């Protein structure tokens, strides 16, 4: 390193100490102030409500976290949790229908017609074409009949008309989150809407929505080079665990999911004990809690369903994926690591921060600035989920003229350094300072805060872990980093994936030459 | 702590979203706004309309009490004698200070032969550092304090911004001012920036959505327009250190706007900022641009991409300027066409037909030049023609299919009831004031705009649709997998599709054989 570095480090060390003192004080104060304005109530059906008062403006944000995601999709039904999430926007027996009693009968006919069609379609050989055509006619007629009772998108329209902002949902492998923000005088309206859709989902317009999800798959996976690569990367890294399964669903599976299956998923997983609802903003826990309790008690009770029990076996063979196509080159590699409840979780965060946080990070300085072989280089962890044992990944985009092989070697050199030489005091302090500042910065955003509170409550059983996490951060040592790096960054624990543009070009040339 | 905030593309990969990904021209929604108490009071009286029902629906029986009193805090505006404007917005909730200097002039003002100059400048300015402290040293210092100083470039401006804990704010401010007035552009950092830009150029045909966005802008504004032209390997190579310095010296003479928010005392901060900027010479005003565009040549345009199974369809034309007196009505019209789940495009193309996940768009509004009209649909190759027709049908329907009271009420409710979110933080109010100052709009613009939205009638929307929606003037761009598109694009009955060549020119200006230039 040039000597300028040591000079500037003396200056920055003083500042680090200063920042440390201030931030620690703020951390303690903040947890205390947060405890004063945060109320947790577990309802009799098991549902957890968290209310965090923040009276800066007359608005609130919420996150509903259902602790079930695509990792919980039954075998052969990948994409089910996500498919259900789409259904949760279709309304209830009260909203989105002109006559639910009639609609219910019509929907049962749709389901029967779909079963008959798919029964034929799934026969070996793909079924009899003539029969299929007839069955499809019956199915389409049943669908048209059921649509007579539908007021399309009424649920979301009522929300948007009442000022819902950022209305959306996300289904991850681990869990499903629903969220939006609203003016505070719509709190009761929201409580009615949210509790209704959790408790009283109707499998309305299911089969058209399945087509929409197939389009979503084309957009995010099939027509996107990175989407394709990541799907293959995970499918290769995991042999037993559902983290290796496409979370939007394999085409043949997601295209065959039925409304009956989606409703069975709902019945099993959308129970009080599996749901956390966090509300942040201009609300008053004392006066609003009875109202919230009234509405959210409508969610069916029930204990938390058991988690997926498959454990990914230890990897003993290095694996790699090579995609040859016209896309520009890319390289990624991942190593199995434990889930976030592991005592070393903060050590993984420290490694990721030191390797890739900003222009001072090791990967940026080495691959981007000094060697000039990559446009971007970083690590991230845990991926693709955090509830179960997951991956620690490194990736880089090579500069024109440089190959994935060069990238791999350069990343391995940096990993080797982590294993053999202690990180510096300054690097470790930077990580700790940033961790504290990031926590603080996040406190001024209602929606971000609602997400964090719900997530920490679901993962650790206590939202306070959001602050207590800093104690784990403080305890990380240089020796921890070396120990963990030596444990997991080994070849037999590695899966890599790359896009190989050059070979593709060569193959095309060869093919042309042969013609 | 970092478990929930990983890099976006990986999160996107694992978290499919239910709503449309892009809603290009949706009203004012994402833009922060200042406001007076009157907005808040009004917002609470916009009743949800729902559908005409004999007996009230259950949700309509839920009381909506008046909104809590709200006094959005406007920043303090200080205009210096030299023309420089400062906004100070105190906010003591958390111990941070954020600041930025917005500088006039952006990529639309760079020489065509040096396209990409602003992109390079905005990187190399920060990474080069100052005469006293080079960029790497600055990185180390800032990182150790969890602070940031960054530079950025845009189509009409560049900016220097900083943020830090309150305890470090004095030192970080001095450092930021040093970078503002004494940057030291380095050859090495320029080269680094050039390499990064070259990578972006070489990779620009990998992403279907990126191609569609870029090429549709060229159709609307013209290939060589400052709003559509793209940097090439040759134009970024042409940029020198002297260009960066000259750009910096020239733009710094313009009217700077400084905005600072966070945990500070305004009187002390004002003295500090005055001390830095008061001594500068009077700002120079560059002549305003007068950009006029003919709009696209109508027809169908096609870009073949063999590795996709979904077409990206863009139906594009010319949009308007925000200063247009019809702006408020157009925003309501956009909400009816493509704003959210209740819009015509969403209801038809996604919900009724199941032909798309991402669909939306409308007549865009820009502050100081015509925006584009843009409706986007992403659909599987085989349904390209059906989905395009469905979207065209809804665009044409704006003129032929009468608007209903329920549609109007929904659109106005969507806009007015979520208006609060344009000024629910002090930071957003500050950002909006800076924006209005930059474009020379009155400080009470949003109040006027809010009042105008409230007054929009069915007759207004009908008249504005007739005036601005001209389906025959629109161009259709399809990026997709040619052999899979069946029926093919001739079925649109708009003439044979015009192919667009997106081959990336080599750095010597010639066309390379493959897609990977060099």
């Amino acid at each position: 390193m040039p000597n300028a570095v040591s000079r500037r480090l003396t200056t920055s060390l003083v500042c680090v100490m200063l920042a440390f003192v201030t931030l620690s004080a703020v951390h303690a104060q903040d947890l205390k102030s947060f405890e004063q304005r945060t109320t947790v109530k577990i309802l009799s059906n098991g549902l957890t409500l968290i209310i965090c008062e923040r009276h800066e403006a007359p608005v609130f944000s919420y996150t509903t976290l259902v602790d079930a995601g695509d990792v919980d999709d039954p075998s052969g039904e990948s994409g089910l949790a996500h498919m259900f999430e789409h259904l949760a926007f279709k309304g209830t027996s009260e909203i989105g229908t002109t006559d639910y009693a009639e609609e219910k009968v019509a929907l049962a006919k749709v389901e029967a017609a779909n079963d008959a069609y798919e029964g034929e379609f799934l026969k070996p050989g793909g079924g009899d074409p003539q029969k299929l055509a007839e069955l499809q006619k019956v199915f389409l007629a049943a669908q048209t009949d059921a649509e007579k009772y539908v007021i399309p998108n009424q649920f979301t329209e009522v929300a948007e008309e009442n000022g819902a902002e950022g209305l959306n949902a996300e289904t991850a492998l681990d869990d499903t989150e629903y969220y939006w923000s609203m003016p505070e005088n719509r709190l009761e309206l929201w409580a009615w809407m949210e509790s209704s859709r959790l408790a009283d989902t109707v499998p309305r317009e299911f089969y058209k929505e399945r087509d929409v999800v197939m389009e979503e798959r084309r957009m995010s996976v099939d027509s996107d080079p990175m989407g394709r690569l990541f799907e293959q990367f995970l499918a290769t890294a995991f042999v037993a665990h559902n983290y290796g399964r496409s979370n939007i669903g394999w085409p043949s599976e997601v295209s065959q999911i039925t409304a009956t299956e989606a409703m069975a998923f709902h019945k099993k997983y959308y129970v009080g004990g599996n749901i956390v609802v966090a509300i942040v903003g201009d609300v008053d826990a004392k006066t609003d809690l009875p109202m919230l309790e009234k509405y959210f008690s409508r969610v069916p009770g029930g204990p938390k369903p058991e988690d997926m029990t498959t454990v990914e076996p230890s990897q003993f063979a290095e694996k790699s994926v090579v995609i040859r196509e016209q896309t520009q080159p890319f390289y990624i590699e991942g190593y199995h690591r434990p889930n976030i409840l592991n005592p070393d979780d903060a050590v993984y965060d420290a490694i990721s921060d030191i390797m890739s946080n900003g222009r001072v990070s090791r990967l940026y300085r080495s691959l981007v600035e000094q060697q000039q072989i990559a446009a971007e280089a970083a690590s991230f962890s845990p991926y693709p989920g955090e509830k179960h044992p997951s991956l620690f990944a490194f990736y880089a985009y090579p500069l024109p003229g440089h190959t994935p092989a060069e990238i791999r070697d350069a990343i391995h050199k940096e990993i080797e350094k982590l294993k053999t030489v202690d990180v510096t005091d300054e690097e470790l302090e930077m990580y700790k300072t940033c961790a504290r500042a990031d926590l603080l910065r996040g406190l001024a955003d209602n929606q971000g805060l609602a997400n964090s509170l719900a997530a920490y409550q679901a993962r650790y059983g206590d939202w306070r872990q959001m602050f207590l996490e800093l104690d784990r951060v403080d305890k990380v040592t240089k020796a921890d980093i070396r120990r963990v790096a030596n444990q997991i960054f080994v070849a037999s624990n590695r899966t890599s994936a790359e896009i190989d543009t050059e070979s593709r070009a060569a193959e095309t040339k060869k093919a042309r030459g042969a013609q | 702590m970092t478990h929930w905030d990983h890099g976006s593309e990986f999160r996107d990969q694992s978290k499919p979203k239910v709503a449309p990904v892009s809603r290009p021209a949706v009203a004012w929604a994402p833009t922060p706004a200042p406001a007076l108490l009157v907005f808040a009071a009004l917002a609470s009286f916009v009743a949800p309309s729902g559908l005409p029902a004999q007996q009230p629906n259950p949700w309509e029986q839920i009381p909506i009490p008046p909104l809590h009193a709200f006094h959005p805090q406007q920043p303090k505006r200080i205009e210096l004698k030299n023309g420089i404007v400062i906004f100070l917005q105190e906010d003591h909730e958390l111990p941070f200070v954020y600041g930025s200097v917005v500088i006039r002039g952006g990529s639309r003002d760079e020489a065509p032969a040096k396209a990409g100059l602003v992109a390079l400048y905005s990187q190399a300015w920060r990474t080069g550092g100052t005469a006293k402290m080079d960029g790497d040293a600055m990185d180390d210092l800032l990182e150790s304090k969890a602070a940031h100083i960054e530079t950025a470039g845009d189509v009409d401006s560049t900016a220097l911004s900083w943020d830090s804990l309150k305890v470090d704010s004095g030192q970080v401010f001095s450092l930021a001012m040093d970078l503002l007035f004494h940057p030291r552009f380095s050859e090495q950092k320029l080269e680094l920036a050039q390499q990064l830009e070259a990578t972006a150029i070489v990779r620009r045909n990998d992403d279907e959505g990126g191609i569609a966005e870029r090429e549709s802008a060229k159709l609307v504004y013209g290939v060589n327009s400052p709003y559509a032209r793209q940097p090439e390997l040759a134009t970024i190579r042409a940029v020198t250190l002297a260009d960066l310095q000259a750009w910096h010296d020239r733009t710094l003479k313009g009217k700077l706007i400084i905005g600072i928010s966070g945990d500070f005392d305004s009187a002390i901060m004002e003295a500090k900022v005055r001390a830095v900027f008061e001594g500068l010479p009077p700002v120079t005003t560059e002549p305003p641009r007068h950009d006029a565009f003919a709009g696209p040549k109508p027809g169908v345009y096609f870009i073949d991409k063999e590795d996709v199974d979904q077409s990206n369809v863009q139906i594009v034309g010319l949009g308007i300027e925000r200063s247009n007196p019809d702006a408020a009505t157009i925003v309501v019209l956009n909400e009816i066409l493509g704003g959210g789940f209740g819009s015509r495009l969403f209801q038809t193309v996604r919900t009724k037909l199941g032909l798309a996940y991402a669909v939306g768009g409308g007549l865009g509004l820009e502050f100081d030049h015509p925006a584009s009209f843009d409706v986007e649909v992403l659909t599987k190759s085989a349904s390209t023609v059906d989905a395009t027709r469905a979207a065209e049908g809804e665009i044409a329907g704006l003129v032929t299919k009468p608007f209903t009271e329920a549609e109007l009420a929904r659109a106005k409710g969507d806009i007015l009831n979520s208006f609060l979110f344009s000024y629910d933080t002090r930071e957003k109010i500050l950002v909006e004031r800076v924006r209005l100052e930059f474009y020379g709009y009155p400080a009470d613009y949003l109040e006027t705009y809010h009042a105008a939205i409230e007054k929009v009638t069915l007759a207004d929307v009908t008249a504005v649709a007739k005036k601005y929606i001209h389906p025959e003037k629109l161009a259709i761009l399809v990026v997709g997998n040619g052999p899979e598109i069946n029926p093919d694009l001739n079925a649109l009955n708009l003439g044979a599709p015009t192919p667009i060549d997106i081959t990336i020119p080599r750095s010597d200006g010639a066309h390379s054989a493959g897609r990977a230039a060099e």
Side-chain angles (χ1 to χ4, degrees):
Chain A
M1 297 284 258
N3 15 344
V5 175
S6 50
R7 205 170 357 101
R8 73 182 93 104
L9 285 181
T10 339
T11 346
S12 64
L13 201 58
V14 181
C15 312
V16 167
M17 300 308 284
L18 251 177
F20 183 86
V21 173
T22 328
L23 277 164
S24 302
V26 171
H27 155 209
Q29 267 170 28
D30 250 84
L31 177 52
K32 221 173 142 197
S33 107
F34 252 76
E35 280 181 322
Q36 281 165 4
R37 52 200 176 97
T38 304
T39 308
V40 178
K41 169 93 185 173
I42 298 173
L43 309 186
S44 56
N45 58 6
L47 184 142
T48 304
L49 273 176
I50 305 177
I51 301 170
C52 175
E53 298 187 27
R54 186 168 171 271
H55 302 286
E56 301 285 309
V59 294
F60 74 95
S61 303
Y62 86 93
T63 295
T64 294
L65 187 150
V66 182
D67 200 5
D70 287 305
V71 88
D72 302 299
D73 300 340
S75 180
E77 295 171 30
S78 59
L80 180 58
H82 175 233
M83 197 56 235
F84 178 80
E85 174 232 293
H86 276 242
L87 212 49
F89 286 83
K90 292 288 184 184
T92 67
S93 63
E94 292 181 298
I95 189 164
T97 185
T98 56
D99 183 343
Y100 182 61
E102 294 286 330
E103 188 186 12
K104 199 176 168 185
V105 176
L107 285 173
K109 286 184 188 154
V110 172
E111 210 49 19
N114 181 66
D115 284 351
Y117 176 84
E118 290 190 356
E120 183 65 27
F121 178 75
L122 293 175
K123 277 183 180 165
D128 174 47
Q130 201 183 335
K131 261 192 204 160
L132 275 176
E134 278 163 29
L135 290 169
Q136 194 187 20
K137 233 167 105 185
V138 175
F139 169 74
L140 290 175
Q143 191 172 262
T144 308
D145 185 52
E147 276 167 15
K148 284 196 309 214
Y149 307 102
V150 178
I151 304 173
N153 297 320
Q154 189 174 34
F155 179 86
T156 39
E157 270 192 29
V158 170
E160 287 181 338
E161 243 183 293
N162 278 284
E165 179 81 358
L167 176 153
N168 214 330
E170 297 175 3
T171 310
L173 284 158
D174 287 342
D175 52 36
T176 309
E177 290 173 13
Y178 300 87
Y179 50 86
W180 72 62
S181 304
M182 249 183 174
E184 57 76 26
N185 58 349
R186 262 75 175 182
L187 185 71
E188 185 174 352
L189 175 73
W190 162 76
W192 179 83
M193 294 186 76
E194 187 69 4
S195 59
S196 298
R197 76 152 147 192
L198 290 173
D200 176 28
T201 317
V202 173
R204 189 169 281 142
E205 301 171 303
F206 182 84
Y207 296 96
K208 277 193 180 150
E209 199 59 28
R210 202 172 64 179
D211 293 341
V212 169
V213 169
M214 287 301 289
E215 290 294 353
E216 185 179 355
R217 186 191 150 86
R218 289 183 191 102
M219 179 184 81
S220 61
V221 181
D222 302 319
S223 293
D224 177 6
M226 286 298 135
R228 296 192 290 261
L229 181 88
F230 276 85
E231 192 173 77
Q232 291 303 314
F233 172 60
L234 291 176
T236 308
F238 292 89
V239 295
H241 195 272
N242 284 351
Y243 273 175
R245 199 171 57 176
S246 168
N247 82 306
I248 196 158
W250 299 114
S252 71
E253 296 186 358
V254 69
S255 66
Q256 301 295 321
I257 291 174
T258 66
T260 306
E261 288 162 348
M263 294 310 285
F265 186 89
H266 174 252
K267 193 169 176 201
K268 179 170 179 192
Y269 291 106
Y270 281 59
V271 292
N274 213 28
I275 299 175
V276 179
V277 180
I279 307 155
V280 179
D282 193 14
V283 291
D284 183 337
K286 227 189 233 157
T287 54
D288 294 328
L289 199 54
M291 179 273 288
L292 295 169
E293 188 166 358
K294 179 182 88 183
Y295 286 110
F296 283 95
S297 293
R298 303 192 297 171
V299 173
K304 216 173 153 45
E306 70 169 25
D307 261 344
M308 230 271 280
T309 51
T310 306
V311 177
E312 178 70 14
S314 289
Q315 184 174 340
F316 56 85
E318 183 174 1
K319 295 180 276 189
S320 69
V321 176
V322 179
I323 298 182
R324 298 195 172 90
E325 59 174 36
Q326 61 185 214
T327 309
Q328 288 294 300
F330 178 79
Y331 179 79
I332 181 168
E333 64 178 35
Y335 300 85
H336 290 278
R337 57 152 281 183
N339 73 4
I340 54 161
L341 298 179
N342 186 280
D344 281 332
D345 187 48
V347 183
Y348 291 102
D349 284 351
I351 294 174
S352 192
D353 186 86
I354 291 167
M355 290 298 260
S356 55
N357 193 1
R359 292 193 200 91
V360 300
S361 69
R362 291 185 169 195
L363 291 175
Y364 180 86
R365 288 223 158 139
S366 168
L367 275 70
V368 178
E369 266 196 347
Q370 285 155 16
Q371 300 180 62
Q372 307 197 353
I373 57 173
E376 186 186 322
S379 62
F380 58 103
S381 147
Y383 179 77
E386 58 196 23
K387 199 155 119 182
H388 303 275
S390 198
L391 296 177
F392 192 109
F394 298 88
Y395 73 92
Y397 293 89
L399 284 182
H402 294 276
T403 62
E406 288 173 79
I407 297 290
R408 183 186 56 225
D409 292 348
I411 289 175
H412 290 178
K413 261 185 210 149
E414 286 305 321
I415 290 177
E416 202 50 37
K417 243 190 262 168
L418 270 186
K419 289 157 93 168
T420 50
V421 186
D422 278 342
V423 299
T424 64
D425 292 323
E426 292 78 16
E427 284 176 313
L428 198 55
E429 272 320 312
M430 276 184 195
Y431 156 63
K432 295 179 180 181
T433 308
C434 285
R436 290 181 205 105
D438 286 349
L439 170 68
L440 272 187
R441 283 195 172 95
L443 301 183
D445 174 41
N446 288 347
Q447 187 66 73
L449 199 49
N451 290 349
S452 296
L453 290 170
Y456 276 95
Q457 183 73 28
R459 289 292 147 263
Y460 298 92
D462 185 356
W463 63 268
R464 286 176 193 82
Q465 187 62 31
M466 196 172 133
F467 293 89
L468 300 176
E469 194 72 5
L470 289 184
D471 298 334
R472 293 217 292 202
V473 167
D474 278 340
K475 291 197 183 96
V476 174
T477 66
K478 293 189 254 183
D480 286 333
I481 290 176
R482 271 175 76 164
R483 172 177 55 82
V484 163
N486 277 292
Q487 253 167 31
I488 75 156
F489 299 139
V490 293
S492 58
N493 190 31
R494 176 165 63 223
T495 303
S496 65
E498 65 183 80
I499 294 174
D500 179 358
T501 321
E502 284 188 357
S503 302
R504 159 74 198 212
E507 270 176 22
T508 315
K509 237 184 234 166
K510 231 165 83 187
R512 278 195 191 135
Q515 272 170 7
Chain B
M1 3 270 22
T2 50
H3 304 318
W4 284 282
D5 55 19
H6 299 130
S8 52
E9 81 183 272
F10 304 107
R11 189 174 172 93
D12 286 347
Q13 161 77 8
S14 66
K15 295 209 165 191
K17 304 212 191 272
V18 72
V21 182
S22 65
R23 293 198 274 168
V26 175
W28 191 270
T31 320
L36 302 175
L37 180 57
V38 64
F39 284 172
L42 285 170
S44 66
F45 295 121
V46 179
S49 74
L51 276 124
Q54 288 76 19
Q55 64 226 38
N57 288 308
W59 61 92
E60 288 166 338
Q61 293 165 37
I62 296 171
I64 295 179
L67 203 65
H68 292 164
F70 182 39
H71 307 273
Q73 177 185 294
Q74 289 294 323
K76 180 175 187 191
R77 181 182 184 278
I78 303 150
E79 182 163 354
L80 302 181
K81 284 202 185 95
N82 54 18
I84 289 172
V85 173
I86 301 160
F87 289 101
L88 301 177
Q89 178 77 310
E90 281 188 43
D91 182 352
H92 301 287
E93 189 187 8
L94 292 171
F96 293 99
V97 176
Y98 300 84
S100 70
V101 179
V102 179
I103 304 158
R104 310 185 82 78
S107 60
R108 66 184 178 184
D109 305 302
E110 63 197 15
K114 303 208 179 204
L117 184 148
V118 168
L120 297 171
Y121 165 76
S122 62
Q123 288 178 51
W125 181 9
R126 168 62 180 81
T127 53
T130 73
K132 278 190 219 151
M133 183 183 282
D134 70 35
D136 292 352
M138 203 181 275
D139 293 336
D140 285 329
L141 178 64
L142 293 170
E143 195 71 24
S144 72
K145 297 167 174 299
H148 307 95
I149 295 178
E150 291 299 331
T151 51
D154 207 339
V155 65
D156 53 19
S157 59
T158 60
L160 167 74
S161 62
W162 62 94
D163 78 83
S164 74
L165 280 156
K166 178 184 186 175
V167 65
D168 301 315
S169 61
Q171 191 189 3
V172 171
F173 177 76
S174 305
L175 206 54
M177 292 305 105
D178 193 29
L179 188 62
L180 183 66
F181 295 112
H182 310 290
R184 199 207 53 177
F185 296 102
S186 97
E187 194 67 61
Q188 189 202 346
K189 297 297 183 187
L190 172 59
E191 271 171 33
L192 185 62
Q194 282 167 322
Q195 281 182 347
L196 300 187
E197 282 301 308
T199 310
I201 291 169
V202 168
R203 289 175 181 272
R204 74 184 174 204
N205 288 342
D206 288 357
D207 173 37
E208 188 182 18
I211 298 170
E213 190 183 333
R214 206 174 72 220
E215 298 300 324
S216 61
K218 287 188 199 163
L219 288 175
V220 173
Y221 293 116
V223 177
N224 298 314
S225 151
Y227 295 95
R229 70 180 169 227
Q230 60 203 20
E232 298 294 354
L233 295 170
T235 65
I236 58 166
R237 289 275 154 78
V239 174
T240 64
L241 266 195
D243 293 329
L244 301 187
Q245 188 68 53
W247 176 273
H248 185 83
D249 295 343
R250 181 184 127 201
T251 56
L252 223 60
K253 288 180 189 150
K255 177 182 162 181
L256 306 179
I257 305 171
I258 297 116
I260 303 176
S261 68
D263 192 9
F264 55 80
D265 177 282
S266 285
I268 298 170
M269 185 61 83
E270 179 176 342
K272 206 160 102 176
V273 181
R274 271 183 186 275
V276 174
F277 291 94
E278 217 158 32
L280 297 179
V283 300
T284 58
T285 317
E286 302 222 356
R289 303 183 61 95
H290 292 288
D291 295 309
F293 309 98
K297 187 167 168 267
V300 181
Y301 299 82
F302 179 62
I303 295 166
D304 197 10
K305 188 158 166 59
E306 67 169 40
D307 66 339
V308 300
D309 64 353
Q310 186 179 57
S311 295
N312 185 313
V313 181
Q314 305 281 329
I315 306 178
V316 296
L318 213 49
I320 62 159
E321 283 191 36
R322 191 165 278 281
S323 54
N324 186 311
D326 294 323
T329 311
I330 286 167
V331 167
V332 175
L333 180 74
N334 282 337
E335 193 68 26
I336 292 173
L337 175 66
F341 288 75
S343 69
R344 288 182 175 190
L345 280 170
F346 195 98
Q347 288 276 25
T348 302
V349 184
R350 176 161 162 169
T351 307
K352 192 171 145 220
L353 300 171
L355 285 178
Y357 169 73
V359 56
L363 190 70
L365 298 93
E366 293 276 5
F367 279 92
D368 69 350
H369 66 277
S372 61
F373 174 96
D374 191 354
V375 163
E376 176 186 73
V377 193
L378 274 58
T379 191
K380 62 185 177 295
S381 306
S383 52
T384 306
V385 168
D386 285 347
T388 305
R389 279 207 178 130
E392 279 184 295
E394 291 307 331
I395 295 167
L398 293 176
V399 184
T400 56
K401 196 171 123 198
F403 300 105
T404 65
E405 285 292 351
E407 268 184 316
L408 180 70
R410 177 194 70 77
K412 287 168 73 171
D414 283 7
I415 300 165
L416 295 173
N417 284 323
S418 60
F419 217 70
L420 252 179
F421 293 100
S422 36
Y423 54 92
D424 64 328
T425 71
R426 292 180 185 187
E427 177 78 15
K428 284 187 192 172
I429 297 171
L430 174 73
V431 168
E432 185 56 29
R433 281 297 295 277
V434 168
R435 193 195 323 266
L436 295 173
E437 182 80 36
F438 183 87
Y439 292 108
Y441 279 56
D444 66 350
Y445 174 77
L446 270 212
E447 290 157 62
T448 320
Y449 170 77
H450 184 278
I453 298 258
E454 288 195 304
K455 289 197 198 95
V456 172
T457 64
L458 271 187
D460 295 337
V461 186
T462 309
V464 153
K466 285 213 165 70
K467 188 169 168 191
Y468 295 94
I469 303 297
H470 304 289
E472 75 285 357
K473 289 188 182 168
L474 301 174
I476 297 173
L477 171 69
V478 178
V479 186
N481 190 334
E484 281 185 6
I485 299 177
N486 188 13
D488 68 20
L489 299 176
N490 290 304
L492 289 169
N493 291 328
L494 292 166
T498 308
I500 297 179
D501 180 9
I502 56 168
T503 311
I504 298 160
R506 288 195 322 225
S507 59
D508 56 13
H511 276 233
S512 69
R515 277 161 184 266
E518 303 196 313

